[in-house]
Amino acid sequence: MADLLSDEEIADRIPDDWEREDDEIVRTFEFDEYLDASGFLGAAAGVAEDAFHHPEMTIRWGEVEVRLTTHDAGGITDNDIDMAERLNGVYE
């Protein structure tokens, strides 16, 4: 099981455009079209499956909200920070 990050570690390492909400880090990715959001969601799901880290993802017209936490650790770990960085890379 992964170790929880301290509040200070999270604050120092949270990637650009992500926010902390309690025991999760959250970002809403914005798109001009629903199909662009759907394409991102598909690509993000592939990255998550490869990492065996499965975020909560919600799609709405023009946006995909992603919530990351490591459930078995009870909060935010290195795995969540790494996945957030990977998803930022998919979005770029």
Side-chain angles (χ1 to χ4, degrees), residues 6-33:
S6 69
D7 291 340
E8 184 176 290
E9 289 172 316
I10 294 166
D12 287 345
R13 297 183 50 208
I14 193 167
D16 290 343
D17 299 317
W18 288 80
E19 298 177 3
R20 181 179 184 179
E21 291 183 13
D22 299 319
D23 290 336
E24 299 177 317
I25 56 174
V26 181
R27 179 174 177 185
T28 300
F29 295 89
E30 297 181 359
F31 303 90
D32 292 331
E33 301 290 334

Side-chain angles (χ1 to χ4, degrees), residues 48-63:
E49 185 65 19
D50 287 345
F52 199 69
H53 191 58
H54 303 102
E56 178 180 318
M57 296 189 281
T58 305
I59 188 169
R60 292 178 289 274
W61 192 92
E63 62 184 32

Side-chain angles (χ1 to χ4, degrees), residues 60-73:
R60 292 178 289 274
W61 192 92
E63 62 184 32
V64 175
E65 181 188 73
V66 179
R67 294 181 166 273
L68 293 165
T69 190
T70 302
H71 294 286
D72 62 353

